[in-house]
Amino acid sequence: MIEVVAKLGRGPVFLAGEMLECVITFTNPLSVSSTSASSEMLAWASAQIHCQFHASENRVALPPSDGSKPDVQAENETVFVPNRGERGQCILSTPPKILFCDLRLDPGESKSYSYCETLPIDGPPSFRGQSVKYVYKLTIGCQRVNSPIKLLRVPFRVLVLHGLKDYQCPQDEAVAPSNPFLEEEEGLKKDSRLADLATELLMAATSRRSLRRSLLLKHAILTYM
């Protein structure tokens, strides 16, 4: 038996365009002193983000099905399909990333792997209504040799703020040479800039709304007088 624990770096809420970071830990929980203690082997593990869309058939008139044949891979338990068994349609997915191949864990041993992925800027926001739902999940799949794939799903929320899609990196940063040792640091800097820009956009929208409300209130007072 192997225990898998996934922990998001800074909570379950993200802006579209931000980088999601998750630490995934694989543990052999058996004690070394246990009489049944033995090493555990995993052939591979991968991770992928997807957004699942579901609509209530009683409330929403969906277009007719194209009548295509079902995806054979979705029914094959030896193929990594993150949305296997979920209701609705997968409308967005990131490329799968391999965490490892051929992992051996001795009794009591743990190994952690970091998964990082930038959330698509053009994806829909998370939404849970009575008629439609848009749900984002990070799915980790792992498999023993000659065994079915096991899936662990981590739900999270994505917020879409109008104006962020037009955000561009400064010119000097866009043409800077890439350094694999600084990719994580650059990702954190970009997230910080996105957060600052989101704050500015929200403050601007709030200020305009407050000004408009004050003008309407002033007009109403003048009209009454």
Side-chain angles (χ1 to χ4, degrees):
M1 180 178 66
I2 291 181
E3 293 180 352
V4 184
V5 177
K7 183 177 181 181
L8 295 175
R10 58 169 190 79
V13 182
F14 299 86
L15 287 170
E18 273 192 304
M19 178 177 291
L20 179 147
E21 298 182 17
C22 183
V23 176
I24 306 158
T25 303
F26 298 82
T27 304
N28 183 343
L30 294 178
S31 173
V32 179
S33 59
S34 175
T35 56
S36 59
S38 61
S39 298
E40 294 281 355
M41 292 287 297
L42 283 177
W44 58 265
S46 293
Q48 186 176 5
I49 293 171
H50 75 280
C51 178
Q52 200 75 5
F53 166 75
H54 173 69
S56 172
E57 297 180 357
N58 298 329
R59 296 173 179 268
V60 180
L62 296 175
S65 174
D66 58 3
S68 59
K69 296 182 180 180
D71 188 355
V72 176
Q73 288 189 345
E75 300 177 358
N76 188 344
E77 293 187 349
T78 62
V79 177
F80 179 46
V81 181
N83 62 320
R84 177 188 291 118
E86 299 226 287
R87 299 174 61 188
Q89 302 173 357
C90 179
I91 60 172
L92 180 152
S93 62
T94 60
K97 291 186 177 180
I98 298 175
L99 300 176
F100 61 79
C101 291
D102 296 330
L103 174 65
R104 176 191 178 98
L105 292 175
D106 294 327
E109 184 180 8
S110 296
K111 286 191 177 181
S112 297
Y113 298 86
S114 178
Y115 171 84
C116 298
E117 183 63 79
T118 300
L119 298 172
I121 192 69
D122 55 351
S126 298
F127 182 75
R128 285 182 174 271
Q130 294 183 349
S131 300
V132 297
K133 297 179 181 179
Y134 291 91
V135 181
Y136 282 85
K137 294 180 182 180
L138 165 63
T139 301
I140 299 102
C142 56
Q143 182 183 28
R144 285 191 176 95
V145 178
N146 298 325
S147 298
I149 294 175
K150 301 295 184 181
L151 301 178
L152 172 65
R153 294 190 174 103
V154 182
F156 61 93
R157 296 182 62 190
V158 174
L159 305 179
V160 175
L161 186 60
H162 295 290
L164 284 181
K165 185 180 294 188
D166 301 326
Y167 171 74
Q168 298 291 334
C169 292
Q171 186 66 23
D172 57 341
E173 297 180 5
V175 298
S178 60
N179 187 331
F181 299 101
L182 298 179
E183 287 183 357
E184 183 175 354
E185 181 179 351
E186 290 301 320
L188 293 176
K189 288 182 179 179
K190 181 180 178 182
D191 286 350
S192 178
R193 291 192 295 268
L194 283 175
D196 292 341
L197 179 60
T199 302
E200 292 178 7
L201 291 174
L202 289 174
M203 291 180 64
T206 304
S207 299
R208 287 195 297 268
R209 182 176 299 178
S210 299
L211 178 60
R212 183 180 179 185
R213 183 175 299 176
S214 299
L215 292 175
L216 290 175
L217 180 59
K218 182 178 181 180
H219 177 74
I221 294 175
L222 291 174
T223 303
Y224 177 76
M225 294 176 61

